[in-house]
Amino acid sequence: MKQTFLTILAFAALTLAKAQNPAPAKPQERAIALTGATIHVGNGQVIQNGTIVFDKGIITAVGNGDTPTAGAEVISVTGKHIYPGLISPASLVGLQEVSAVRSTVDSREIGVLNPNVRALIAYNTDSEVIPTIRNNGILLTQAMPLGGTVSGCSSIMQTDGWNWEDAVLKKDDGMWLNWPGYFARSFSMEDFSVSLRKNENRSKAIDALQATFADAKAYAAIKNPEPMNLKLEAMRGLFTGAANLYIRADFGKDIIEAVKFAKSFGIPKVVIVGGEEAHRAVDFLKENNVPVILSALHRLPNRQDEDVDLPYRMPGILQKAGVLVALSYSDEWWRSRNLAFLAGTAVGFGLGDREEALKMITSNTARILGIDKQVGTLEKGKHATLFVSKGDALDMRTNVVEHAFIQGRHVNLDDKHKRLYNIYREKYNQPMQGK
């Protein structure tokens, strides 16, 4: 009996060990040079037969085949493609594992006005979702809070690290506001349909926001408040420009009213998130220099009389109007691994230029999030956060990531999907038992 128990225990331990995520990469120990690839810089520039060199996590040279590589470990990636690490904004990765299991969901707090809530400290680096998105080139993610009217603060995280302290790139980059629109969505579990209803609580919610932001602006004018108010202290950066105000709004009229609300309090950095009908407010967004983080393009339009491909064309419509655009999967955390393919879709529906589409998941996103001095493009002096793909990263048929580096650390690309694939490939390659 004892022997049987020990055998079961050993098997369980082996199974758990195999299911664990790979250990985070060690710091870069020596200079590395990637040679022979097509380098997509992320600013529209493409370098054929290029070389990129980085040391101690920082890019030291980017150029053609004549770029010096002396003293560096040379990795030939001839015929491959090098891209900046993709950035997934407005994401629940690391905050939510299995939506049906409450103990794995840590994306919201109880209450309506929670500006002091920080997604940062809830970010779970042991999430099994993180390696799956890293395998498609997503090396940075914005962990955002949900819930209430003012949800709290987001932070920019790297998709490799032992804990949130290791993974964080930028703490508390912005505050999240769910704008109380004229209409609210209702979801039916019977036929899985979505319907609109009048938002009866809209006026009350806006009055509460007016009072909260007025208090926060007055509080921000005080240098050393005593006693400190944690909720209002968390909003201080909105008025100094140190933090963005991310406003979730989809309908055209809601977008305009939300931006006007923010401007009335002198908030300099406003970002619209979602923007499903941003095309109806495109001139207003351009005039007020408001960027947009679009939600998933792979969806149906809001209205029955709209073209079925309107969501696919939205990036091109906004980009051609001069609006700064980034792409996201919003709260669909498990699908965010397909972020690059949203950009690929935009290319086929009006955007045209692949390098412009790449900007929407690299340099544009970095500019919006305020991290463009560190990441977003492959330029000397920036972080060596990049990946090597066998082919075009925007095409799901050829996006095969072979190497990934985060601040120069060579990241392990194992994940649960690959482990399951190998297990079942082995199973079905074996002869049938008992036949």
Side-chain angles (χ1 to χ4, degrees), residues 99-358:
S99 58
V101 181
R102 180 65 185 88
S103 59
T104 71
V105 179
D106 197 7
S107 56
R108 67 182 71 209
E109 295 291 341
I110 295 172
V112 177
L113 300 171
N114 295 312
N116 55 311
V117 167
R118 304 174 76 201
L120 171 68
I121 58 177
Y123 186 79
N124 176 23
T125 53
D126 291 325
S127 166
E128 288 195 333
V129 178
I130 293 175
T132 67
I133 71 169
R134 194 167 61 207
N135 253 307
N136 272 8
I138 299 173
L139 306 184
L140 294 162
T141 183
Q142 182 188 38
M144 68 167 182
L146 292 177
T149 306
V150 178
S151 305
C153 295
S154 58
S155 289
I156 316 301
M157 314 300 292
Q158 300 171 114
T159 56
D160 182 66
W162 287 103
N163 47 48
W164 64 261
E165 291 98 331
D166 290 343
V168 65
L169 178 68
K170 184 177 182 180
K171 297 179 181 179
D172 304 325
D173 67 288
M175 186 73 59
W176 288 75
L177 166 62
N178 294 309
W179 183 252
Y182 286 93
F183 299 99
R185 285 189 174 100
S186 297
F187 181 74
S188 171
M189 291 297 293
E190 294 182 1
D191 57 1
F192 298 99
S193 63
V194 178
S195 59
L196 294 179
R197 56 179 173 79
K198 184 179 179 181
N199 185 358
E200 302 291 350
N201 298 319
R202 181 174 183 274
S203 296
K204 183 178 178 181
I206 290 179
D207 289 344
L209 281 176
Q210 289 278 1
T212 300
F213 274 76
D215 289 346
K217 184 174 183 179
Y219 182 90
I222 305 172
K223 289 186 178 180
N224 298 301
E226 289 290 345
M228 181 181 290
N229 184 310
L230 293 180
K231 288 182 179 287
L232 300 182
E233 187 67 32
M235 300 177 70
R236 183 184 293 272
L238 294 177
F239 304 98
T240 63
N244 290 338
L245 177 61
Y246 298 100
I247 305 178
R248 296 187 185 95
D250 285 323
F251 298 102
K253 194 170 183 179
D254 290 339
I255 290 171
I256 293 172
E257 288 197 349
V259 172
K260 286 183 176 179
F261 170 86
K263 296 293 184 181
S264 70
F265 287 99
I267 297 174
K269 295 183 179 180
V270 181
V271 181
I272 291 296
V273 181
E276 293 181 3
E277 291 190 357
H279 64 293
R280 296 179 180 272
V282 64
D283 293 335
F284 175 84
L285 292 168
K286 169 61 178 175
E287 291 169 7
N288 288 274
N289 195 30
V290 175
V292 177
I293 299 176
L294 289 173
S295 59
L297 308 183
H298 297 163
R299 61 175 178 84
L300 293 174
N302 276 346
R303 304 170 190 262
Q304 293 181 347
D305 59 344
E306 290 178 333
D307 294 340
V308 71
D309 64 351
L310 177 60
Y312 301 168
R313 294 189 286 110
M314 190 71 73
I317 293 171
L318 298 182
Q319 190 260 1
K320 290 175 182 177
V323 177
L324 184 63
V325 182
L327 303 180
S328 80
Y329 258 106
S330 191
D331 57 349
E332 296 177 328
W333 74 106
W334 52 276
R335 291 178 64 194
S336 61
R337 64 182 181 271
N338 295 325
L339 179 65
F341 311 139
L342 294 185
T345 297
V347 173
F349 285 85
L351 190 58
D353 190 320
R354 305 190 81 80
E355 300 309 313
E356 285 297 316
L358 179 63

Side-chain angles (χ1 to χ4, degrees), residues 34 37-47 52 54 59 62 80-88 133-141 159 169 339-340 343 354-367 371-380 382-389 391-394 399 401 403-408:
L34 304 177
T38 299
I39 299 177
H40 303 263
V41 178
N43 58 5
Q45 182 184 4
V46 178
I47 303 173
I52 183 166
F54 48 95
I59 297 173
V62 182
K80 311 295 174 58
H81 296 256
I82 299 176
Y83 293 89
L86 308 185
I87 307 169
S88 176
I133 71 169
R134 194 167 61 207
N135 253 307
N136 272 8
I138 299 173
L139 306 184
L140 294 162
T141 183
T159 56
L169 178 68
L339 179 65
R354 305 190 81 80
E355 300 309 313
E356 285 297 316
L358 179 63
K359 289 181 184 180
M360 294 182 179
I361 51 177
T362 55
S363 56
N364 282 11
T365 313
R367 285 175 59 191
I371 53 175
D372 51 309
K373 292 183 179 179
Q374 300 161 287
V375 294
T377 56
L378 299 178
E379 298 177 273
K380 183 177 179 181
K382 291 192 175 183
H383 292 183
T385 297
L386 53 95
F387 67 95
V388 179
S389 175
D392 182 357
L394 307 189
N399 181 344
V401 176
H403 300 278
F405 300 86
I406 297 178
Q407 290 184 338

Side-chain angles (χ1 to χ4, degrees), residues 33-35 39 47 49-53 60-70:
L34 304 177
T35 63
I39 299 177
I47 303 173
N49 189 27
T51 296
I52 183 166
V53 185
T60 57
V62 182
N64 57 26
D66 297 328
T67 302
T69 61

